[in-house]
Amino acid sequence: MPYKILEKFQIVPTIHQMTIEAPKIARKAKPGQFVILRIDETGERIPLTIADFDRDKGTVTTIFMEVGKTTKQLSIMNAGDSLQDFVGPLGNPSEIEPSEAVICVGGGVGVAPIYPIARAHKAIGNRVISIIGARSAQLLLWEDKMQEVSDELYITTDDGTKGHHGFVTDVLKKLLEGNEPVSKVISIGPAIMMRTVAGVTHPFGVKTIVSLNSIMVDGTGMCGSCRVLVGGETKFACVDGPEFNAHEVDFTLLMNRLMMYRDEEKNALENYQCEREGCQC
Amino acid sequence: MLERNDMLRQDPDKRRSNFDEVALGYSHEQALAEARRCIQCKKPSCVAGCPVGIDIPAFIQCMAEDDMDAAICELKSMNALPAICGRVCPQETQCEDVCVLGRKGEPVAIGRLERYAADHERKNIGPGAVERPAPTGRKVAVVGSGPAGLTAAAELARMGHSVTLFEALHKAGGVLVYGIPEFRLPKSIVQSEVEYVESLGVALQLDTVIGKLDTVDELLEEYDAVFLGTGAGLPVFMGIDGENLSGVYSANEFLTRVNLMKAYQFPGYDTPVKLGRKVVVVGGGNVAMDSARCAVRLGAEEVTIVYRRGEDEMPARKEEIENAKEEGVKFKLLSNPTRIQGNEANWVTQLECLNMELCEPDESGRCRPVPLEGSEHLMDVDVVIIAIGTSPNPLIPMTTKGLETSKWGTIIADEDGLSSREGVYGGGDVVTGAATVISAMGAGKTAAQAIDTYLKRKNTLSHDDVNLRAR
Ligand SMILES: Cc1cc2nc3c(=O)[nH]c(=O)nc-3n(C[C@H](O)[C@H](O)[C@H](O)COP(=O)(O)OP(=O)(O)OC[C@H]3O[C@@H](n4cnc5c(N)ncnc54)[C@H](O)[C@@H]3O)c2cc1C
Ligand SMILES: Cc1cc2nc3c(=O)[nH]c(=O)nc-3n(C[C@H](O)[C@H](O)[C@H](O)COP(=O)(O)OP(=O)(O)OC[C@H]3O[C@@H](n4cnc5c(N)ncnc54)[C@H](O)[C@@H]3O)c2cc1C
Ligand code: SF4
Ligand code: SF4
Ligand code: FES
């Protein structure tokens, strides 16, 4: 069953937006959930968060960053091409309930999946404060979309080319030190960033949710590849998560397990580039 | 008495480095000779040993007369997937265990004959034209495309119901495609059986996780009945220290990477698997044997099965234990892992085991292993595969109101497969816990019959009565 790519373009260097025709998934998708796709028969199954969906048009939008073979291969596909498999919606939806202010923290490509969560909070009338960050201004994505769904929006860049010169956590700390009551912090981004966020919010005792990106195969709870340690218990990120209480997550384990196939991934990427660009080795 | 005909197998030295099928099957002459060993008992004891009740002497008689078409007809009337059962049934504890010839010598090789007949059909005859009965206008959703789901779908389609088969993964076949390796059950055979089921009119919907995309309750709005054949796919871990280290796999993950995702062809296929030099597989069932034999083929220097009981207690098929030994798999019996150690980079380095002693049999009739105090010792490892069992996935029970499950997570169903919910049936591993291909097929077939009865009854009932349980 091929799944058609309806739209595909680069938003910022190495980060792409791709919209897929998948009416059934669009009908069921909720903020916080993800899909697993496979490009073709020899492809790997990779998870991507649902960054947006349109129930009427029957479309699901994902944002992905080129990091290895599969995402590079995806990056050169175009509208009109098809993916062999597109499964979802997987994982548990974000909890969206009326509350005091929520702070949404998105880093790098993590800005995309934080967007539907921010939008859902806004839609039920919660006050949404967002902090989005990137290494550099030219890598910052969806500033306009985030602006629309946030009551306050802060921008940070590592190199100071836009907004606050520094990290999202600098702004987060300042906000928490202020007077406004905050009921929840939700953070999606690189594991290292989410760990820092957890460290910053912990002393304030504010509930903090992170979305874990452990390595997955099936995404249905069948293999245990995605296991993470939360509150001393082994959990499967694909079915028990992907969102967890940040203060209970063992980030060191997560980061170590993400490195498990580093050699193989390098090998696969080199092979792929040799094939595409002609071999220099 | 004539001796049982041996089946040709690939040479152990050669097969250690390929994923081609190990058992090569009978030649035509061997098949005829083996079929003629059957003494055609008036009261054949073998039939009762087959969970789906194949008329074993009848199909063997056809083979003895060199009428393979008739043999396959006879087989297929009771068993839709003979090429698969002939390969993976634990015959030594089922049909062949009770064959009279086994009392004094060796039983008739029923499984090998079944395999021969099915392969002969695939190679020479091809599937015949399929008769489609008049549609009943009833719709049934079958969830899960393992042997239980495939069989239920095929049977229901043959009864004229409109059947949709939903599968979470991108390939149909359940454990037959993600678990059992190519060298034991070629995927082309599973594929042709799936195509056969589709040829009966079953609509296959891959990439569909029921409970996430649609719930069972939503299916019931569109379908008249639902069959759940979702298997027992949730891996069980031991709960010992170090199980989350890199290099520690559940057998499901390891086998899924290797079989479904074809990691043995990496980087031709994109999914990687750690190759490991010293591999330990924990467990003693078919799943453990398959994992160990895959690790051998991926090039591990040393592969060891660690099992807490003795060889006689191993639940794996005898033939596969022999195959594993021939391929160089080591067996460390009466040994139980207690801890897994790793290095600073979180990679597994050593496995701590404790020696065990067998004492009096427990409720399951098997000898209970008791640890020998102070016998802890370390083994060097770089990949550990845990194959100590699986339980049903909770996704469907969690999202289906009123669907009762046992404390092991299995769906509770009566002998017809009817669950605690009207119109919802189940069968296979999801009801029994991890069992066998043939018992899953048997359950699929029984439930299909019960569903058919239910639908006929529902047809004649007025709307108000629909809440009555069909019994
Ligand atoms: C629930 C979830 C949601 C995600 N959402 C997004 C998203 O919205 N946008 C995005 O850009 N990325 C997302 N990711 C990460 C994305 O899946 C990986 O970047 C992708 O799999 C890399 O594949 P590759 O072949 O290009 O790179 P590889 O070279 O194979 O790997 C690069 C790195 O990606 C990670 N990775 C590799 N394989 C997998 C796998 N099968 N599953 C998960 N991680 C893997 C590893 O850390 C690895 O070091 C998400 C991951 C998870 C688990
Ligand atoms: C490695 C291994 C080796 C084995 N070797 C043998 C052997 O030699 N002989 C033997 O007789 N038995 C063997 N078995 C056992 C046998 O394979 C199983 O008992 C049998 O496959 C059970 O069939 P099933 O149809 O109940 O479930 P499964 O084969 O497990 O199929 C269930 C299917 O349902 C799908 N599914 C699950 N949840 C959902 C959902 N929510 N929505 C949609 N689809 C879903 C799964 O993806 C899967 O495809 C082995 C098992 C394993 C794991
Ligand atoms: S299906 Fe299995 S148990 Fe039945 S006759 Fe065939 S091999 Fe024996
Ligand atoms: S019991 Fe053995 S010999 Fe007798 S009919 Fe069955 S297979 Fe033939
Ligand atoms: S990805 Fe397989 S269990 Fe989560």
Side-chain angles (χ1 to χ4, degrees):
Chain A
M1 237 183 304
Y3 297 82
K4 204 156 148 206
I5 303 177
L6 298 177
E7 189 187 49
K8 157 80 200 342
F9 58 92
Q10 178 165 302
I11 322 175
V12 298
T14 74
I15 298 183
H16 305 258
Q17 176 165 338
M18 176 173 72
T19 300
I20 308 288
E21 181 174 38
K24 285 188 173 167
I25 303 178
R27 210 164 61 218
K28 291 291 159 113
K30 295 212 179 72
Q33 291 186 298
F34 64 95
V35 292
I36 283 189
L37 64 81
R38 195 176 66 130
I39 298 176
D40 54 25
E41 180 50 34
T42 56
E44 186 173 13
R45 294 170 66 99
I46 69 154
L48 294 177
T49 312
I50 298 174
D52 203 354
F53 49 86
D54 188 322
R55 300 202 204 283
D56 299 328
K57 291 198 193 125
T59 61
V60 171
T61 299
T62 59
I63 306 287
F64 65 89
M65 182 162 65
E66 293 173 37
V67 292
K69 151 102 208 267
T70 306
T71 45
K72 287 249 192 268
Q73 200 183 342
L74 268 184
S75 75
I76 57 162
M77 294 183 81
N78 294 307
D81 294 342
S82 292
L83 303 174
Q84 184 146 333
D85 301 287
F86 198 70
V87 194
L90 300 170
N92 297 313
S94 246
E95 249 180 50
I96 314 280
E97 70 291 315
S99 66
E100 289 169 314
V102 294
I103 302 183
C104 296
V105 186
V109 72
V111 172
I114 207 93
Y115 165 74
I117 299 175
R119 179 175 64 180
H121 277 284
K122 182 77 185 155
I124 62 161
N126 289 342
R127 194 173 132 72
V128 175
I129 304 170
S130 300
I131 312 170
I132 59 174
R135 270 185 287 128
S136 182
Q138 56 151 355
L139 292 174
L140 191 73
L141 53 103
W142 280 15
E143 183 187 340
D144 47 343
K145 288 183 89 149
M146 287 304 289
Q147 188 79 60
E148 271 168 41
V149 298
S150 310
D151 294 281
E152 277 175 39
L153 177 68
Y154 298 89
I155 289 166
T156 73
T157 47
D158 299 5
D159 63 0
T161 42
K162 183 155 195 182
H164 168 78
H165 184 168
F167 300 119
V168 285
T169 39
D170 305 340
V171 177
L172 177 63
K173 186 147 186 272
K174 285 231 174 61
L175 287 172
L176 292 174
E177 281 162 354
N179 295 326
E180 177 165 7
V182 171
S183 43
K184 182 154 82 175
V185 173
I186 308 145
S187 171
I188 307 182
I192 185 86
M193 179 199 103
M194 295 192 285
R195 180 169 74 176
T196 317
V197 166
V200 166
T201 60
H202 192 256
F204 296 93
V206 52
K207 182 171 171 185
T208 305
I209 303 292
V210 287
S211 179
L212 302 185
N213 58 339
S214 53
I215 294 181
M216 297 186 175
V217 183
D218 60 304
T220 68
M222 182 269 273
C223 75
S225 163
C226 62
R227 59 198 193 275
V228 289
L229 204 60
V230 183
E233 264 183 70
T234 296
K235 300 273 182 194
F236 290 1
C238 69
V239 286
D240 300 323
E243 295 188 357
F244 292 100
N245 177 350
H247 298 145
E248 295 190 335
V249 171
D250 183 339
F251 285 100
T252 311
L253 182 76
L254 175 72
M255 290 192 280
N256 278 330
R257 284 188 62 92
L258 281 171
M259 304 277 280
M260 195 160 156
Y261 297 104
R262 205 179 27 182
D263 298 345
E264 289 79 3
E265 285 153 358
K266 200 164 149 259
N267 171 353
L269 184 59
E270 282 169 4
N271 243 299
Y272 174 65
Q273 283 172 333
C274 275
E275 269 169 35
R276 266 186 62 209
E277 292 147 22
C279 204
Q280 263 100 57
C281 40
Chain B
M1 191 164 48
L2 285 170
E3 269 189 40
R4 180 170 155 123
N5 288 270
D6 236 351
M7 179 169 52
L8 219 58
R9 285 177 302 157
Q10 241 200 100
D11 182 67
D13 279 339
K14 240 168 121 189
R15 70 183 197 240
R16 278 177 59 95
S17 52
N18 69 49
F19 273 78
D20 299 339
E21 194 170 15
V22 168
L24 301 173
Y26 277 158
S27 66
H28 193 70
E29 292 66 36
Q30 279 180 309
L32 292 182
E34 186 62 27
R36 288 170 187 154
R37 283 183 69 226
C38 167
I39 56 170
Q40 293 292 322
C41 307
K42 285 261 150 35
K43 286 186 189 148
S45 50
C46 52
V47 177
C50 172
V52 293
I54 291 180
D55 189 343
I56 295 168
F59 99 79
I60 295 185
Q61 177 69 38
C62 301
M63 290 183 78
E65 290 163 6
D66 202 359
D67 187 350
M68 298 301 159
D69 296 5
I72 196 70
C73 253
E74 186 60 52
L75 275 167
K76 283 208 160 168
S77 70
M78 298 309 275
N79 176 349
L81 316 171
I84 294 171
C85 294
R87 285 175 167 78
V88 304
C89 258
Q91 291 101 5
E92 75 267 14
T93 60
Q94 296 183 349
C95 52
E96 294 178 16
D97 183 39
V98 286
C99 166
V100 285
L101 294 196
R103 280 189 217 150
K104 290 209 184 84
E106 290 217 80
V108 176
I110 303 169
R112 293 173 185 176
L113 289 174
E114 188 170 335
R115 168 191 167 133
Y116 183 81
D119 287 358
H120 182 269
E121 182 200 31
R122 222 181 36 262
K123 280 188 210 125
N124 302 311
I125 314 169
V130 189
E131 267 178 60
R132 298 241 189 131
T136 60
R138 290 291 180 180
K139 292 172 79 179
V140 185
V142 174
V143 186
S145 65
L150 284 175
T151 310
E155 294 288 323
L156 288 161
R158 280 197 194 130
M159 294 162 178
H161 305 302
S162 153
V163 182
T164 308
L165 177 56
F166 296 96
E167 169 55 49
L169 295 172
H170 58 260
K171 272 209 176 65
V175 169
L176 308 179
V177 291
Y178 79 70
I180 303 180
E182 176 78 20
F183 57 81
R184 208 147 71 74
L185 179 62
K187 299 311 150 221
S188 59
I189 292 178
V190 182
Q191 190 51 37
S192 65
E193 301 291 18
V194 170
E195 281 163 14
Y196 166 71
V197 173
E198 283 189 273
S199 76
L200 297 170
V202 170
L204 179 59
Q205 280 201 21
L206 301 171
D207 292 338
T208 307
V209 186
I210 299 303
K212 283 287 167 192
L213 198 60
D214 280 319
T215 61
V216 169
D217 289 284
E218 283 164 328
L219 289 179
L220 282 169
E221 289 167 16
E222 195 184 333
Y223 297 87
D224 299 292
V226 174
F227 174 79
L228 301 174
T230 47
L234 190 77
V236 174
F237 286 91
M238 286 184 292
I240 60 176
D241 273 356
E243 264 180 319
N244 292 331
L245 289 166
S246 297
V248 181
Y249 286 100
S250 75
N252 266 7
E253 180 185 353
F254 184 76
L255 290 170
T256 300
R257 284 181 181 273
V258 174
N259 299 317
L260 181 70
M261 306 310 297
K262 303 225 183 316
Y264 64 91
Q265 295 183 41
F266 180 86
Y269 278 72
D270 292 341
T271 307
V273 70
K274 272 293 163 192
L275 303 182
R277 284 187 312 112
K278 287 182 188 284
V279 177
V280 163
V281 180
V282 183
N286 286 317
V287 186
M289 296 308 137
D290 285 345
S291 304
R293 297 173 68 199
C294 282
V296 166
R297 284 161 174 76
L298 291 171
E301 280 164 22
E302 190 177 284
V303 180
T304 311
I305 297 244
V306 170
Y307 182 56
R308 63 198 184 112
R309 304 177 200 252
E311 184 169 329
D312 290 344
E313 284 79 23
M314 284 199 166
R317 294 180 70 208
K318 289 279 169 294
E319 192 174 318
E320 306 306 350
I321 297 176
E322 285 315 312
N323 281 333
K325 282 187 180 162
E326 281 181 12
E327 288 161 16
V329 173
K330 295 191 175 152
F331 287 72
K332 189 170 155 56
L333 302 170
L334 290 168
S335 187
N336 200 30
T338 41
R339 198 155 53 97
I340 310 173
Q341 295 185 351
N343 59 19
E344 351 36 85
N346 200 54
W347 267 97
V348 52
T349 53
Q350 288 186 310
L351 182 71
E352 186 190 75
C353 292
L354 201 58
N355 292 337
M356 310 292 277
E357 199 176 36
L358 284 184
C359 286
E360 72 283 5
D362 60 10
E363 320 86 74
S364 69
R366 292 193 301 174
C367 293
R368 192 165 48 89
V370 187
L372 277 171
E373 292 303 330
S375 64
E376 290 89 348
H377 55 282
L378 292 169
M379 296 173 74
D380 289 338
V381 286
D382 49 18
V383 165
V384 174
I385 302 166
I386 316 272
I388 58 163
T390 51
S391 63
N393 191 313
L395 218 51
I396 287 183
M398 261 166 32
T399 52
T400 313
K401 270 187 235 91
L403 187 68
E404 281 174 24
T405 52
S406 72
K407 66 175 172 188
W408 300 280
T410 53
I411 293 176
I412 295 177
D414 69 11
E415 62 280 8
D416 288 337
L418 177 62
S419 74
S420 55
R421 282 286 305 271
E422 194 216 319
V424 179
Y425 293 74
D429 283 4
V430 72
V431 169
T432 56
T436 60
V437 171
I438 190 72
S439 59
M441 289 175 51
K445 195 165 166 177
T446 308
Q449 267 142 15
I451 291 172
D452 186 53
T453 311
Y454 167 69
L455 294 178
K456 283 187 178 130
R457 176 109 164 237
K458 201 170 162 183
N459 253 342
T460 61
L461 289 180
S462 75
H463 271 304
D464 306 342
D465 295 333
V466 169
N467 284 332
L468 278 177
R469 280 186 150 205
R471 288 253 176 187

